[in-house]
Amino acid sequence: MDVTARPCFGCAVTRSVEADYLVVGAGASGMAFTDALLDHSDARVALVDRRHGVGGHWLGAYPFVRLHQSSTFYGVASTVLGGGRRQVRGPEAGLHQRADQPTICAYYADLLERMVGSGRVEFFGGCDYVGERTFVSRVSGQRFEVPQRCRTVDARYLAPDIPAETPPRFEVVDGARVIPVNDLARTEEAPSQYVVVGSGKTATDACIWLLAHGVDPDAICWVRPRDPWMLNRALIQPDPVIYLGMVADMFGAAGAASSLPELFLALEDAGIMLRVDRSVTPTMAKAPTLGTWELERLRTIEHVVRRGHVTSARRGRIDLEQGTVALTDDTLVVNCAADGLKRKPLVPIWAPDAITLQPVRAGFPCFGAAITGYVEATRKDDADKNRLCPPSSFGNSLTDWARMNVAGMRSSMSFGSEPDIRAWSDRVALNPARIPPEHGPSPELDDAVGRLRENVGPGLTRLVELSR
């Protein structure tokens, strides 16, 4: 990549970087977009991130984290994370592998090396984007700028917060022992009690990790401001019979539901949705996947606090919005609460000032970023691109979940109507709904596809009504 420098005595030198695209954010979405763009165009890319390397929040994730979904659905279009292998032992034997943090970070480091080696990508780590096609090194203070014709890609719009980089949302006083979940694996002296704060995947991971390391379930207090609905991991697999069958059943249940709570109970009866406590109706539907073996272990934790969010942690107690809970003096509070799935307003992906990466189908942000890169490389008119790929949001409440699935299905119908996009998406393992060209016909697949075609229309119509 051609780079020129303008000398400046007594101030930081500004470098002019020759690029067609300035991708701001080198996490999962930025990398998936760049990968697809490179594969289908001759574009040159300046890739910028405030972190030292690529991989986004994975560089600061807790050490025992794994993907909650199959590795096949994560990463970039050109290279399948984990090689599509299945687990051969353990409680998830037969299911597809879920990569751990070191594997994911190594995967992205290898991708960057290949991108840079192509001569069409230059990576700028440790840099802040300051607007106006300019970014600045945090290390040297050096400024960089790209040409006016260079298109900016915002891959940070929905970037997740993680506990390691986010202060607790509650006050810590009186010598209370509070750690982010990242430090849990570094505990050197066992407390008599653990308090896990959070309702989502990070909190369930922390609870499973503690139980796996021999902590008595009675020594764990789990603060859950809201109870979550979670997807049965065994059904979110890169197998069209399994996945399309699940979607068919989901829309079939939606078509018959009189309310969203009734729909989720029907999905639970169908084995699609899971909840930790069957006596409590969940109000949160971010819907990460969960193994049934994890569900059994989580149900052994009986000390669950549902009194709203924590307002302060003190030695010997925690204060919540709806009361106080007494603790032992040496209690270790594990903060697992952060805004991992941002719910910012949906904006057109293609706008004059920037391409703003967002999910395109329900969930699966890597596929959304990859298809955005493909459409950018193969289409000229922004209005046409926005027609083909309207954005979808992440779930939160039951209503949010319904709206997410409505938007995602409509978007799938839109881009799926284009023969080249449909052919591309059927080749891309990131696409959970694909039928791979090499997948032969079978009665099971015919049944799943037939039920999906029958159920999607009435189910989609009912979801629209239920989400108002």
Side-chain angles (χ1 to χ4, degrees), residues 188-200:
E188 296 182 353
E189 184 177 347
S192 58
Q193 186 176 32
Y194 290 91
V195 172
V196 176
V197 179
S199 301

Side-chain angles (χ1 to χ4, degrees), residues 22 43 78 89 110 158 166 187 195 198 204 227 259 317 332 338-340 347 349 418 420 426 455 468:
L22 172 61
S78 69
R89 61 180 66 88
D110 289 344
L158 298 178
T166 306
T187 302
V195 172
T204 61
D227 271 48
S259 67
R317 80 172 202 249
L332 186 62
D339 195 4
V347 299
I349 292 177
E418 299 282 308
D420 69 308
D426 277 346
N455 294 341
R468 288 174 180 162

Side-chain angles (χ1 to χ4, degrees), residues 292-350:
T292 53
W293 66 275
E294 292 174 305
L295 183 66
E296 293 172 1
R297 295 187 185 182
L298 293 172
R299 284 175 172 167
T300 66
I301 301 174
E302 297 182 355
H303 189 188
V304 177
V305 176
R306 299 182 180 90
R307 300 185 184 178
H309 293 92
V310 176
T311 58
S312 66
R314 305 171 185 273
R315 183 177 292 275
R317 80 172 202 249
I318 53 172
D319 301 318
L320 302 103
E321 293 170 321
Q322 300 165 19
T324 296
V325 175
L327 307 171
T328 61
D329 283 348
D330 70 335
T331 291
L332 186 62
V333 178
V334 184
N335 179 34
C336 300
D339 195 4
L341 293 181
K342 296 289 182 66
R343 294 196 65 260
K344 291 185 176 181
L346 296 180
V347 299
I349 292 177
W350 283 270

